[in-house]
Amino acid sequence: MPTAKVQPDGVQDVAAKEHPIQSQISKAIASNAQLLAKAELYFTAFLSMSDMISDIVMVVRYYRNNEMSYAVASVICIGLNLMLQSLAVFNTKPLDKQMKEQAIVWTLVKPGVDAYRVATKSQTQEGDAVDARAEMTGIRAAEMVRLRA
């Protein structure tokens, strides 16, 4: 175990002992980084839910303007996205938990729930195929493919 060097004037080597202010700054930076990461997750979820709502608004607008091909294409994309999310949460959970997960998907709040689970580091529960972060990443990747189609 290395010992601190004593300088001629009796001051210890700074490298041997961390300064209290440096420790406080490091902790503040770390807590801000976690806060920013959580904010990013919630903002991403907000954008995802807003995107779904804007898609629904556009379907209504296409329908009112008799642009049926665009309306049908948008409905198909939204439906495929929701079915993919529904399949992603379909697993071996008990029926009551399964119904809760399906309700989260079909009420369009899945991105927000996923962000909350990742931000709070929710533990994988019995019957979950993957952890919350992997599930959120997969669903968002599929959504990006939907946006490109």
Side-chain angles (χ1 to χ4, degrees):
M1 181 173 152
T3 58
K5 291 190 238 175
V6 177
Q7 302 294 335
D9 60 354
V11 178
Q12 287 187 347
D13 185 7
V14 175
K17 185 176 181 184
E18 187 177 2
H19 197 275
I21 292 175
Q22 290 174 332
S23 176
Q24 290 174 348
I25 291 171
S26 298
K27 288 177 184 176
I29 290 171
S31 68
N32 284 339
Q34 287 179 336
L35 183 65
L36 288 174
K38 287 181 181 181
E40 180 183 1
L41 284 171
Y42 288 126
F43 184 69
T44 302
F46 170 76
L47 288 178
S48 183
M49 289 187 292
S50 298
D51 176 54
M52 183 64 79
I53 291 168
S54 71
D55 287 349
I56 293 168
V57 168
M58 288 308 299
V59 167
V60 171
R61 186 171 287 170
Y62 289 143
Y63 180 76
R64 286 184 181 163
N65 293 334
N66 285 329
E67 298 178 38
M68 298 308 267
S69 60
Y70 291 120
V72 170
S74 295
V75 167
I76 289 171
C77 284
I78 291 169
L80 287 173
N81 186 316
L82 289 172
M83 283 191 267
L84 179 65
Q85 289 182 39
S86 181
L87 286 173
V89 299
F90 185 78
N91 48 35
T92 60
K93 288 182 179 182
L95 184 61
D96 61 332
K97 290 183 180 180
Q98 185 62 243
M99 296 305 289
K100 179 182 173 187
E101 290 294 320
Q102 292 299 327
I104 289 169
V105 168
W106 294 100
T107 56
L108 309 178
V109 296
K110 179 93 172 106
V113 172
D114 285 346
Y116 174 79
R117 288 176 179 165
V118 171
T120 60
K121 297 180 180 165
S122 174
Q123 296 296 320
T124 304
Q125 298 175 356
E126 182 180 336
D128 286 347
V130 294
D131 68 341
R133 182 176 294 277
E135 185 176 337
M136 184 180 82
T137 303
I139 295 297
R140 296 296 74 78
E143 189 172 296
M144 296 306 289
V145 171
R146 176 187 64 87
L147 291 176
R148 297 284 182 212

